[in-house]
């Protein structure tokens, strides 16, 4: 998975591809709309739900995958 660029890589795209996102806590959200996620970290702190990496979605259905 590529690292989070600190901004939505599909900003301005009205029909972006779905992506899989890995959060700092290890949770992976699959097949999400990138325009509906917060790509920039909270200022002055780290958060468990900061996006650390992403990739184009491999499936079609939304899914949460918990770390094992």
């Amino acid at each position: 998975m590529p690292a989070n660029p600190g901004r939505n890589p599909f900003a301005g795209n009205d029909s972006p591809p779905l992506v899989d996102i890995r959060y700092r806590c290890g949770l992976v959200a699959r097949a999400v709309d990138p325009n509906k996620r917060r790509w920039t970290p909270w200022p002055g702190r780290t958060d468990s739900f900061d996006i650390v990496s992403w990739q184009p979605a491999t499936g079609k259905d939304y899914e949460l995958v918990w770390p094992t």
Side-chain angles (χ1 to χ4, degrees):
M1 290 182 138
N4 178 3
R7 61 174 179 71
N8 181 350
F10 302 101
N13 185 340
D14 292 338
S15 183
L18 297 178
V19 296
D20 297 340
I21 294 174
R22 180 180 307 276
Y23 294 101
R24 187 176 311 282
C25 64
L27 178 70
V28 175
R30 298 201 183 276
V32 297
D33 180 345
N35 291 332
K36 296 182 179 178
R37 295 296 190 256
R38 179 181 47 85
W39 289 82
T40 56
W42 291 109
R45 68 182 175 112
T46 58
D47 187 79
S48 295
F49 286 95
D50 287 340
I51 296 171
V52 293
S53 59
W54 68 278
Q55 70 181 16
T58 55
K60 295 180 181 179
D61 297 326
Y62 177 77
E63 176 184 19
L64 289 176
V65 181
W66 297 95
T68 55

